[in-house]
Amino acid sequence: MSSRPERHTVTVDGEAVDVDVLSAVAPDDAPVFVLVHGIGMSHRYFSRLHDRLAAQGTVHSIDLPGFGATPHPRRALAVESHARVLAATLDALGVTSATVVGHSMGTQFAVELARQRPDLTERIVLIGPVVDPRHRTVLRQAVSLGIDCLREPPSANWLVFTDYLRAGPVWYLRTLPSMMAYPTVERVKDVGCPVLVLRGERDPIAHEPFCRQLAGAAPEGRMLQLRGHAHVIQHSAPRAVAAVLSRFAAGAEPAPEETRAPGGQLPAPRELLRRWWWWTLDYAYAGWWQARSLLPGASPEAFREGERRPIVVIPGVYETWRFLLPLVARLHAAGHPVHVMPRLRHNRRPVAESAGFVADLLEERDLHDVVIVAHSKGGLIGKSVMADTRVAGRVSAMVAVSTPFSGSRYALLMLVPSLRAFSPYAPTTVRLAREMAVNTRIRSVFGAFDPHIPEGSHLPGAENERVDIGGHFRILGHPRTIELVLDAAANGVDARELSPQT
């Protein structure tokens, strides 16, 4: 992916205009996403979503003329002209069919593009669409925008205000009449491809009745909303939005958990009480096994004998291999040679360095057809090993329990580098998210509630298994987890055999 947008010049309505495009290009058979900003904005407020989607397909984030760093055309462009610019840009990029995602006024561009060039729009997604006919005045829009600023994270407001300044108030006001006049509800009736209307539950601009009306007007429309978020959900909830878009692009219904972004409304008191109890039991379990791991016990070599498929066990951060002793003992009793990693000690090293230790072990012991069993950070280490060309052929599958594949936003609050490394925006998190090819050989096991990973452990393209238990640690001893681990050890993992609804 280029770190800077590339400039393209296209001719529309007899005028040459400049368009900036930030692209991440995937193999030809991967889905294509086109991200289109709203009035006054640029590709910058799509950056988090762009990176998430880039792990799954080709992504083009487009800055239309006069927005971002692109020069202003001689005259203001109507929605119809912006759609023609968008079409010419996609032609120049060689895009033949895509899921076009518009936000705010960008939803009007997406609708108009689908009307003008249905060959380019396989599907369209309208995030926070405008303009609600019941609020079609500049004053009402300004008030709604002010309310939204109070509901957005500071980082979103910073992007909005600085992009508005870059576009300039004059250009904004010259573009505004076209946005206010465009009949989105009427025009979406002419769109033949599937349409997804997506809004934040607290969005004061794209009201729920309007979004439902818009989805109902489209021949193939549907609407979803993310709890607890406002207008700029592609920035405040990039993981949840990316999950919804990926399933929509694949023609599947969004999973129920994908419509509920983390950090939304607080659960009911009874649910809070249940989570508190889960949390208490979880730390009691963790404390017990951390204490047990300090006591003398079996040596690492005691588990290396066995006739069945070899297993390599990787613990989580601040855990030694003995923390996973219940799984180690069960796997060894089932006839598997189990290789533990005492060299990792308490597993505080960077993921890449620890993955190098595991790769060295695979080569030194000449292990083949290995199944990795990992907990938490260990799953990131295991995935890094599976993507390492030096030893990738030696690993057939992995079971990862409670692994932060999408990071954890709580890591941003940590002062310790070994914990801050789990940020959703950390280089390792982003890099591993792009390693999609190995996901079909991963079984991700997670509980109903994980207090350490609000983003969850769902891994696109993997075999995802939810266990009916709450917590980050206690799940390791759950009978269903042990059953899933033993099954993968015996039979491997191939998520490609699963139905799309799994």
Side-chain angles (χ1 to χ4, degrees):
M1 178 181 69
S2 172
S3 60
R4 296 175 60 87
E6 294 184 359
R7 178 140 308 166
H8 298 260
T9 301
V10 298
T11 301
V12 174
D13 300 338
E15 180 182 357
V17 295
D18 291 325
V19 179
D20 286 350
V21 184
L22 182 68
S23 298
V25 180
D28 291 341
D29 58 346
V32 178
F33 299 92
V34 175
L35 308 183
V36 188
H37 60 78
I39 186 170
M41 298 306 299
S42 73
H43 72 279
R44 296 195 308 155
Y45 76 161
F46 276 120
S47 61
R48 294 179 176 180
L49 179 61
H50 182 111
D51 288 343
R52 295 283 182 185
L53 294 175
Q56 304 168 41
T58 292
V59 188
H60 300 293
S61 293
I62 296 180
D63 287 351
L64 291 166
F67 301 105
T70 61
H72 294 176
R74 290 177 300 175
R75 57 184 177 81
L77 303 181
V79 171
E80 292 80 1
S81 296
H82 275 115
R84 286 192 283 275
V85 171
L86 190 53
T89 303
L90 296 183
D91 287 339
L93 292 170
V95 174
T96 57
S97 184
T99 296
V100 179
V101 182
H103 176 258
S104 201
M105 188 181 182
T107 62
Q108 297 177 334
F109 305 151
V111 167
E112 190 60 30
L113 176 67
R115 293 179 71 245
Q116 294 181 13
R117 292 288 303 275
D119 58 307
L120 291 176
T121 51
E122 183 178 358
R123 302 170 187 276
I124 63 172
V125 181
L126 313 179
I127 302 178
V130 294
V131 174
D132 189 336
R134 287 158 292 194
H135 303 277
R136 196 181 288 279
T137 68
V138 173
L139 178 60
R140 291 296 298 269
Q141 292 298 306
V143 170
S144 297
L145 181 61
I147 295 172
D148 185 63
C149 291
L150 301 176
R151 299 177 179 180
E152 299 288 357
S155 57
N157 287 329
W158 172 255
L159 289 171
V160 170
F161 292 143
T162 53
D163 267 355
Y164 279 3
L165 289 175
R166 289 205 301 167
V170 173
W171 186 249
Y172 182 97
L173 293 174
R174 291 177 65 188
T175 306
L176 186 60
S178 178
M179 183 187 85
M180 299 301 297
Y182 187 78
T184 311
V185 175
E186 291 301 315
R187 296 293 175 85
V188 81
K189 295 177 182 178
D190 300 331
V191 174
C193 66
V195 177
L196 174 63
V197 180
L198 185 60
R199 72 179 293 270
E201 184 185 39
R202 304 180 69 228
D203 189 338
I205 297 171
H207 299 89
E208 182 177 355
F210 167 58
C211 290
R212 293 197 181 280
Q213 179 187 13
L214 195 59
E220 294 186 59
R222 70 193 79 173
M223 192 207 87
L224 292 173
Q225 59 183 355
L226 300 185
R227 290 176 54 185
H229 290 268
H231 190 58
V232 193
I233 56 175
Q234 73 275 15
H235 179 82
S236 63
R239 175 186 174 273
V241 173
V244 170
L245 298 190
S246 297
R247 291 184 63 85
F248 180 63
E253 290 289 338
E257 63 269 19
E258 292 169 350
T259 66
R260 300 191 300 271
Q265 293 179 342
L266 290 174
R270 180 176 296 181
E271 178 64 15
L272 281 175
L273 183 61
R274 183 169 71 149
R275 291 186 179 188
W276 174 84
W277 180 240
W278 275 341
W279 206 332
T280 301
L281 293 176
D282 200 43
Y283 280 121
Y285 177 95
W288 168 254
W289 280 103
Q290 286 285 20
R292 283 284 302 271
S293 68
L294 299 176
L295 300 176
S299 68
E301 290 74 22
F303 304 97
R304 285 175 55 179
E305 299 299 323
E307 300 297 324
R308 304 183 72 183
R309 180 181 277 120
I311 309 296
V312 171
V313 173
I314 309 177
V317 66
Y318 297 124
E319 299 170 3
T320 69
W321 70 270
R322 293 183 184 277
F323 193 82
L324 301 185
L325 196 55
L327 287 176
V328 171
R330 292 295 297 269
L331 287 162
H332 187 253
H336 296 278
V338 182
H339 302 262
V340 298
M341 293 294 301
R343 187 179 181 185
L344 293 181
R345 298 182 179 274
H346 285 86
N347 202 5
R348 291 181 295 177
R349 295 182 176 87
V351 167
E353 183 179 348
S354 298
F357 290 166
V358 177
D360 291 344
L361 179 142
L362 295 177
E363 290 189 322
E364 291 167 3
R365 299 183 183 177
D366 195 26
L367 300 178
H368 294 273
D369 193 23
V370 170
V371 172
I372 294 173
V373 176
H375 176 239
S376 193
K377 176 186 178 180
L380 301 179
I381 297 171
K383 186 173 181 181
S384 186
V385 172
M386 295 175 76
D388 184 347
T389 55
R390 176 166 61 113
V391 294
R394 296 176 179 269
V395 180
S396 59
M398 177 172 71
V399 182
V401 183
S402 300
T403 293
F405 288 113
S406 297
S408 170
R409 66 176 181 271
Y410 295 154
L412 298 170
L413 306 176
M414 301 298 169
L415 299 178
V416 183
S418 56
L419 297 180
R420 286 186 63 85
F422 300 124
S423 162
Y425 316 111
T428 297
T429 305
V430 174
R431 174 180 63 83
L432 289 177
R434 292 174 178 157
E435 297 288 353
M436 294 288 291
V438 302
N439 287 5
T440 57
R441 294 184 287 123
I442 296 176
R443 175 176 290 170
S444 181
V445 180
F446 46 86
F449 163 68
D450 190 326
H452 291 195
I453 314 174
E455 286 78 3
S457 298
H458 188 279
L459 182 64
E463 180 183 331
N464 295 282
E465 294 282 351
R466 180 179 179 273
V467 177
D468 189 20
I469 190 174
H472 187 72
F473 305 102
R474 198 162 58 106
I475 187 175
L476 290 168
H478 194 280
R480 177 59 177 160
T481 302
I482 295 172
E483 177 186 349
L484 290 168
V485 168
L486 291 174
D487 172 72
N491 305 310
V493 174
D494 189 352
R496 289 169 294 188
E497 296 179 355
L498 302 177
S499 69
Q501 299 300 321
T502 299

